[in-house]
Amino acid sequence: ESGITRPKGYNVSFHCNPGMEKHHFGMTHPMKPWRLTLSKSLIYSYGMSFAMDNYVSRAATYEELATFHSTDYLDFLGTVLPEPVPRDLENQNPDLKFNLGGSDCPLFDGLYDYCSMSAGGALDGARKLCSKQSDIAIAWGGGLHHAKKAEASGFCYINDIVVAILQLLRYYPRVLYIDIDVHHGDGVEEAFFSTDRVMTVSFHKYDPNNFFPGTGALDDNGPKSEHNPGAHHAVNVPLNDGITDEQYEWLFNSIIGRIVEKFRPGAIALQCGADSLAGDRLGRFNLQVQGHGACVEFCKKYNLPLILFGGGGYTPRNVARAWAYETSIAISCDDKISPTLPQHVPWREQFRQDTLFPTLEQILGEPRVNRNSQKRLQDILQHVTEQLRFVQA
Ligand code: V1P
Ligand code: CA
Ligand code: ZN
């Protein structure tokens, strides 16, 4: 008996396509679609599927992808073949078409299927919110925030988030996009740069010279022209290495609290990239599963239609923990699931410790130095507060 029951008074829908999980970016590539398998296996082992509507999502159609992407790009993406010999780091082709085929965005078998399945889950989730059949939709296979209209970038080929938000905009006057991936959500920001119907907020590690993608400075807030409706509608929260749960929660709650009050969104789209967790192979923060999940909890409290996307996350055991915990928050059973991992969860040894909430010591051995002063975080909050004076719902 897991004690996990359906949430009272609202519905959660869970959208995934097992077809995504069999794709591979290449042996040494950090993006492992297998992390989705591990996440689902933990979610199911806890018995959470009994508390949600579970959907095997379909692949998004060409027309659906073309609501954002250029047809030139989609046509090329649909016909490129995998490279017989993977390019190595020294042998980069300098003129890649649409940025496809480099080490970040390699061409692999079934690439188009993988992309359209990721977008299909996100779009199905958005549609469930629009039709009010669900109150919270979960699409862990989405969240690929770097993809541009006609360009692949940073492991992302199709921007499922933009496609899903475009769907939400058919029903909701304003959508708030929040991105807690350790990287800047540049593709989503750019897509909605010139509209005041979407406010984008990204929390990320910022170091223009040494951390991908290098954009997302505090004062990059949208078009500089006051005549452009998108002016002031991009919020950027640049952070340094080692930020802790306590600091992140304080900043997240303060900033999002003020934004919701001022912008009054009709729906919230939250990208839950798990590379902001401590111990991530690419990330630099010291967040724990609890602090990451607290962002989901905070967004849920507004009782607005909410869609949760995946995103980055390169240490699969921690990705699975975070997305399982966040699924439990969505269905309000976070107080009922055991902090000890289920006895019969497949690949149990992959998790190293048998807890859902490993300590920083367990995750890292040696903790990462926190380079975020409280003064700097206060300055960030002040900048955002001043920026919001120009925002009207
Ligand atoms: O740093 C770069 C590029 C490659 N240089 C020309 C600059 N790329 C990063 C890309 C990170 C993408 C993150 C995606 C997401 O936000 C959303 C899914 O999480 C990169 C890194 C890195 N350490 O930042 N690529 C790789 N590592 C890489 C390593 C091995 C093989 C292939 C790519
Ligand atoms: Ca981010
Ligand atoms: Zn990332």
Side-chain angles (χ1 to χ4, degrees):
E1 255 318 304
S2 66
I4 291 171
T5 51
R6 286 189 165 259
K8 292 209 167 50
Y10 73 101
N11 271 318
V12 177
S13 60
F14 190 81
H15 304 266
C16 62
N17 189 327
M20 272 190 87
E21 301 157 28
K22 50 173 205 265
H23 290 86
H24 297 279
F25 284 61
M27 288 261 287
T28 58
H29 199 286
M31 178 57 98
K32 310 276 182 212
W34 181 79
R35 72 212 172 108
L36 298 170
T37 315
L38 195 65
S39 303
K40 266 196 322 196
S41 118
L42 187 55
I43 291 165
Y44 295 163
S45 299
Y46 268 120
M48 294 187 218
S49 52
F50 302 109
M52 313 185 277
D53 297 329
N54 301 278
Y55 297 95
V56 174
S57 48
R58 45 172 199 93
T61 65
Y62 178 94
E63 289 70 27
E64 287 167 339
L65 301 180
T67 58
F68 174 53
H69 292 284
S70 81
T71 51
D72 281 2
Y73 175 58
L74 292 175
D75 292 341
F76 188 74
L77 197 64
T79 53
V80 276
L81 294 169
E83 295 181 291
V85 183
R87 234 183 279 271
D88 58 43
L89 289 168
E90 290 81 48
N91 181 27
Q92 292 275 354
N93 182 343
D95 39 43
L96 302 167
K97 224 174 160 190
F98 304 112
N99 197 32
L100 289 166
S103 54
D104 274 1
C105 303
L107 301 173
F108 54 82
D109 219 14
L111 173 60
Y112 189 89
D113 294 337
Y114 167 84
C115 296
S116 49
M117 285 188 259
S118 157
L123 199 45
D124 278 356
R127 290 218 175 94
K128 285 286 165 201
L129 298 184
C130 292
S131 68
K132 315 274 190 245
Q133 289 178 73
S134 82
D135 301 282
I136 304 181
I138 300 176
W140 296 134
L144 305 178
H145 59 176
H146 298 305
K148 312 284 153 58
K149 183 184 170 85
E151 195 183 294
S153 171
F155 319 163
C156 306
Y157 305 80
I158 289 291
N159 202 316
D160 59 285
I161 304 170
V162 173
V163 173
I165 292 177
L166 287 171
Q167 171 64 33
L168 293 174
L169 287 173
R170 296 182 181 193
Y171 289 80
Y172 302 102
R174 288 175 306 283
V175 174
L176 173 60
Y177 172 67
I178 308 169
D179 184 315
I180 62 171
D181 189 288
V182 76
H183 298 99
H184 178 224
D186 56 352
V188 184
E189 180 183 283
E190 186 181 298
F192 298 112
F193 207 59
S194 295
T195 177
D196 53 5
R197 294 187 59 200
V198 179
M199 182 150 215
T200 61
V201 189
S202 175
F203 296 76
H204 46 268
K205 149 108 186 146
Y206 178 67
D207 181 347
N209 303 314
N210 296 306
F211 199 73
F212 187 88
T215 49
L218 183 59
D219 57 1
D220 288 343
N221 303 126
K224 295 292 175 205
S225 158
E226 291 294 329
H227 305 293
N228 190 313
H232 314 293
H233 284 72
V235 173
N236 279 303
V237 184
L239 301 166
N240 292 322
D241 286 5
I243 193 166
T244 61
D245 275 4
E246 195 191 3
Q247 288 182 317
Y248 199 95
E249 268 190 70
W250 174 78
L251 195 58
F252 185 92
N253 298 359
S254 310
I255 288 178
I256 301 304
R258 274 160 227 218
I259 290 176
V260 172
E261 193 181 308
K262 211 59 204 288
F263 182 64
R264 297 198 297 110
I268 301 179
L270 176 60
Q271 195 266 21
C272 301
D275 48 6
S276 42
L277 293 169
D280 187 80
R281 182 172 156 195
L282 299 193
R284 307 284 183 86
F285 291 169
N286 273 343
L287 294 191
Q288 295 178 251
V289 170
Q290 296 95 318
H292 202 269
C295 300
V296 176
E297 180 89 61
F298 191 81
C299 291
K300 179 174 172 252
K301 288 208 174 106
Y302 289 104
N303 289 320
L304 290 166
L306 174 65
I307 181 162
L308 305 178
F309 303 100
Y314 306 101
T315 303
R317 58 182 177 278
N318 295 336
V319 178
R321 285 184 169 99
W323 292 350
Y325 180 53
E326 288 159 17
T327 304
S328 81
I329 291 171
I331 59 181
S332 298
C333 74
D334 46 306
D335 55 344
K336 290 183 205 89
I337 60 167
S338 162
T340 305
L341 299 184
Q343 204 51 243
H344 300 292
V345 61
W347 303 287
R348 201 170 197 271
E349 68 292 346
Q350 286 280 331
F351 290 93
R352 302 208 177 161
Q353 293 87 21
D354 70 354
T355 170
L356 189 58
F357 305 109
T359 62
L360 282 180
E361 292 67 36
Q362 285 174 316
I363 300 166
L364 294 166
E366 203 177 319
R368 191 182 279 283
V369 179
N370 181 4
R371 303 206 179 276
N372 299 272
S373 67
Q374 204 55 38
K375 167 83 175 67
R376 173 67 183 155
L377 301 186
Q378 266 153 7
D379 291 347
I380 291 174
L381 178 58
Q382 191 181 342
H383 175 98
V384 175
T385 308
E386 280 164 21
Q387 177 185 345
L388 289 174
R389 295 209 313 249
F390 300 97
V391 171
Q392 243 185 329

